[in-house]
Amino acid sequence: MSLSINLTINGQLRDITLDDPRVTLLDLLRERLDLTGTKKGCDRGQCGACTVLVNGRRMNSCLALTASLDGAVITTIEGLADGDTLHPLQSAFIEHDGFQCGFCTPGQIMSAAGLIAEAQAGDDPERIRELMSGNICRCGAYQGITEAVQQAQREMIARNRKDAA
Amino acid sequence: MKRFDYVRPSSIAEAVSAAALPGSAILGAGTNLLDMMKIGSAQPERLVDITRLPGLDGIDWLPDGSVEIGALVRNADLAYDERFARRFPSVAEALLSGASPQLRNAATAGGNVMQHTRCAYFHDLSSACNRRSPGSGCDALNGENRLHAVLGWSEHCIATHPSDFCVPLVALDAVVEIEGHKGRRELALEALHLLPGNTPEVESALMPGELIVALRLPAEAADFASHTRYLKLRERTSYAFAVVSAAAALVVDAGVVQSARLALGGVAAKPWRARRAEDALTGKPASPEAFAEAARLALADAKPSGHNAFKIELARRIVVRALTEAATGTPERTIPLPGSVFTTQAGSNHVA
Ligand SMILES: Cc1cc2nc3c(=O)[nH]c(=O)nc-3n(C[C@H](O)[C@H](O)[C@H](O)COP(=O)(O)OP(=O)(O)OC[C@H]3O[C@@H](n4cnc5c(N)ncnc54)[C@H](O)[C@@H]3O)c2cc1C
Ligand code: SF4
Ligand code: FES
Ligand code: FES
């Protein structure tokens, strides 16, 4: 049984034919579309390394069945920068040492992008930590991650204000 | 993962027919089901994807003041719905204390209610497990069982139901709306999950093919809005299942409890309503003595099923705390660590 679906991935509409309905979004990205920025840590929803945005919402791509996502708009870490200009989250992670080995980082950054869009945390570091708890960092870079999220969020809010003015 | 057929019905009737075929499983977001299919503790031959069914993703306020939560409403969307969170703050708190933001963005209301036990032996195919394979035995009985049930278990199964969402829902008399071959029926959520008895493999009162289409909270459930909390003790502060949890809801007038609701999570194969404790609280002053007595009654029938006697005392303490916090009043805004006893919110700290 083969399935045909459409996905918009990082702005590009793609026709995808699945010869096997078992493919998760994570395996589709990594194994079939060569988008290996999204990482596989646990493959079971427990670490957050595979976080991507699905229709603007952060989700674990390891527990999402591709077949079920027909028509969805997906953003991965590869789609975040604006050409050669880093996304404010990417710059902030570098500036605040929000990583060490970097394995969890794409998931952390995509999760932070989702967190900022959800607008539930404000600038409160405790709320940010709680709402980033779906992303585990084996290197323990949590302090830098929290600071990076705070900084990027402030920058993005300021930029939106300027754009609106 | 075993191969399966994928079907995407376009109506509830089609979904019911497909789900009734032997070997079918209903697919919500898949955050529980796909996980189980990867490890083999679920091996469906056919996935019936209900996520595109029309009309199941709304939060509908009915004229009588009750609210109908569509089975496909995502956990995060329900918790952050302002009107819903204002009327049923402990339900929102329970949702926000569960899993992670990513999982809550995906997980559906129906899938949360129908999620399976986290008993490690249930998910390990080389272990004996009556729930997965009837009659094979229960390796948890003499195994790692510190997190297993202390209420309502049998020697055939000592598993717990892991949902946080279900705990305040059961306390607030939620009703499950079900669609099946014979049309629509309703069931108290309290009657949906079954205690193991001699048949732990029968996990719920749903018949093959039956689909949860909505959960309904009665208008009276909002009477508790100003005095209700969900508290959850975890082995880490966030992103962990409950060791024990409690939903408490009170109507207090001049210091006297007019009406009380209490349910426990993490203690049994179903969300556990503590009616004797509720009755004992009614008409009593909202006092530490009354809360301690309620906790005693709520756990009066508890028995360790293994290395978990400590859970009984923990459950008593979480009941006292949840009642105390409920009597103090629902916080104006959801606290930074929802459901956590480790929040730095004034008055809620574990070191008072
Ligand atoms: C790492 C991790 C941590 C977690 N932590 C918590 C936690 O702390 N607290 C908590 O409460 N939960 C927790 N969860 C569980 C999570 O809440 C569930 O996985 C989720 O709610 C399931 O929803 P779903 O839509 O993905 O369901 P699915 O995985 O799609 O389905 C789950 C089950 O329900 C059945 N089903 C789905 N929808 C319906 C319906 N409408 N009618 C009938 N049957 C249906 C499916 O057939 C399946 O058996 C955690 C999960 C993970 C992976
Ligand atoms: S406690 Fe229940 S689910 Fe766990 S191994 Fe025993 S029978 Fe299976
Ligand atoms: S790889 Fe998806 S959560 Fe770990
Ligand atoms: S930077 Fe190494 S795991 Fe987070």
Side-chain angles (χ1 to χ4, degrees):
Chain A
M1 184 167 99
S2 135
L3 281 162
S4 279
I5 66 160
N6 286 311
L7 290 176
T8 303
I9 301 178
N10 298 331
Q12 200 187 338
L13 182 66
R14 312 189 59 152
D15 293 325
I16 290 162
T17 304
L18 294 171
D19 51 341
D20 185 332
R22 292 176 291 188
V23 182
T24 60
L25 176 59
L26 177 59
D27 287 342
L28 175 83
L29 294 170
R30 290 184 56 84
E31 311 293 338
R32 299 178 177 225
L33 302 179
D34 214 18
L35 290 165
T36 54
T38 306
K39 301 302 178 202
K40 182 185 281 193
C42 63
D43 209 22
R44 298 194 50 198
Q46 300 176 358
C47 75
C50 65
T51 305
V52 299
L53 302 183
V54 178
N55 298 326
R57 297 155 66 99
R58 49 178 164 162
M59 291 191 191
N60 306 98
S61 58
C62 69
L63 290 184
L65 196 66
T66 304
S68 176
L69 296 176
D70 195 4
V73 176
I74 315 285
T75 310
T76 71
I77 190 72
E78 288 92 342
L80 210 57
D82 180 9
D84 285 340
T85 312
L86 293 182
H87 185 275
L89 273 164
Q90 292 172 308
S91 325
F93 266 68
I94 295 170
E95 205 173 308
H96 289 275
D97 280 335
F99 53 87
Q100 199 177 97
C101 77
F103 189 82
C104 72
T105 313
Q108 299 279 1
I109 290 179
M110 296 315 293
S111 186
L115 175 149
I116 292 170
E118 287 157 19
Q120 293 290 338
D123 198 39
D124 178 352
E126 193 170 18
R127 287 183 195 270
I128 291 173
R129 275 196 294 275
E130 163 63 11
L131 291 175
M132 286 295 291
S133 73
N135 294 80
I136 309 286
C137 175
R138 182 64 183 79
C139 299
Y142 296 109
Q143 181 65 25
I145 292 170
T146 307
E147 289 165 9
V149 176
Q150 280 181 297
Q151 173 178 316
Q153 182 169 246
R154 283 186 213 124
E155 276 175 29
M156 288 165 73
I157 291 172
R159 188 187 297 178
N160 283 345
R161 279 215 194 96
K162 228 163 68 198
D163 288 352
Chain B
M1 196 191 294
K2 218 179 90 178
R3 246 189 124 101
F4 53 83
D5 286 340
Y6 171 81
V7 296
R8 195 193 289 154
S10 50
S11 70
I12 290 177
E14 260 178 62
V16 167
S17 300
L21 297 172
S24 286
I26 291 167
L27 177 71
T31 61
N32 186 218
L33 186 57
L34 278 185
D35 190 11
M36 289 176 59
M37 288 164 66
K38 287 180 188 188
I39 49 184
S41 52
Q43 303 191 3
E45 283 160 28
R46 186 178 309 97
L47 283 191
V48 182
D49 183 352
I50 62 165
T51 56
R52 305 298 170 103
L53 290 182
L56 299 185
D57 61 354
I59 304 170
D60 296 325
W61 298 88
L62 306 181
D64 69 351
S66 61
V67 63
E68 214 171 43
I69 305 156
L72 293 177
V73 174
R74 309 291 166 155
N75 288 192
D77 292 340
L78 185 59
Y80 289 135
D81 184 273
E82 271 182 42
R83 186 169 176 192
F84 183 84
R86 231 182 310 115
R87 305 237 179 142
F88 311 108
S90 51
V91 180
E93 184 167 27
L95 283 167
L96 293 175
S97 79
S100 67
Q102 289 96 316
L103 288 160
R104 298 194 292 265
N105 275 345
T108 62
N112 188 315
V113 168
M114 290 305 293
Q115 65 176 296
H116 297 270
T117 182
R118 307 302 284 197
C119 173
Y121 303 98
F122 176 78
H123 296 287
D124 172 30
L125 296 193
S126 58
S127 296
C129 170
N130 288 325
R131 186 174 285 260
R132 172 169 34 77
S133 120
S136 63
C138 168
D139 275 349
L141 272 179
N142 292 305
E144 266 299 328
N145 51 24
R146 50 187 297 281
L147 296 177
H148 282 71
V150 294
L151 282 163
W153 54 271
S154 75
E155 71 271 28
H156 302 289
C157 179
I158 59 173
T160 59
H161 191 259
S163 165
D164 293 300
F165 180 41
C166 285
V167 182
L169 285 182
V170 153
L172 296 173
D173 281 339
V175 171
V176 191
E177 298 177 7
I178 299 164
E179 200 57 71
H181 268 316
K182 296 195 189 115
R184 193 169 277 231
R185 68 174 177 122
E186 296 191 345
L187 193 67
L189 177 61
E190 198 184 355
L192 179 70
H193 305 95
L194 303 179
L195 291 176
N198 296 324
T199 52
E201 73 279 10
V202 190
E203 300 186 280
S204 86
L206 290 191
M207 310 295 273
E210 279 192 325
L211 190 73
I212 296 180
V213 290
L215 301 162
R216 198 175 69 239
L217 277 167
E220 305 80 68
D223 295 348
F224 301 95
S226 61
H227 290 87
T228 183
R229 287 300 301 277
Y230 179 72
L231 283 187
K232 168 179 180 185
L233 198 80
R234 288 161 269 195
E235 292 191 326
R236 58 184 185 196
T237 309
S238 182
Y239 200 10
F241 287 94
V243 177
V244 292
S245 70
L250 300 171
V251 175
V252 191
D253 185 28
V256 176
V257 176
Q258 307 297 315
S259 172
R261 297 290 177 81
L262 183 65
L264 290 156
V267 294
K270 60 187 285 185
W272 192 267
R273 180 89 180 255
R275 289 180 194 277
R276 266 164 76 200
E278 294 175 0
D279 293 344
L281 282 164
T282 310
K284 298 271 161 44
S287 64
E289 295 73 28
F291 296 160
E293 176 61 7
R296 192 187 67 75
L297 287 169
L299 277 302
D301 298 329
K303 280 196 309 280
S305 59
H307 303 129
N308 57 2
F310 74 100
K311 281 182 65 165
I312 300 173
E313 179 55 22
L314 276 185
R316 284 193 200 104
R317 293 184 193 183
I318 202 103
V319 164
V320 170
R321 263 183 84 150
L323 286 167
T324 308
E325 303 258 329
T328 305
T330 309
E332 205 33 57
R333 184 180 169 205
T334 316
I335 58 170
L337 299 175
S340 175
V341 294
F342 293 106
T343 180
T344 48
Q345 167 94 4
S348 308
N349 206 329
H350 63 298
V351 279

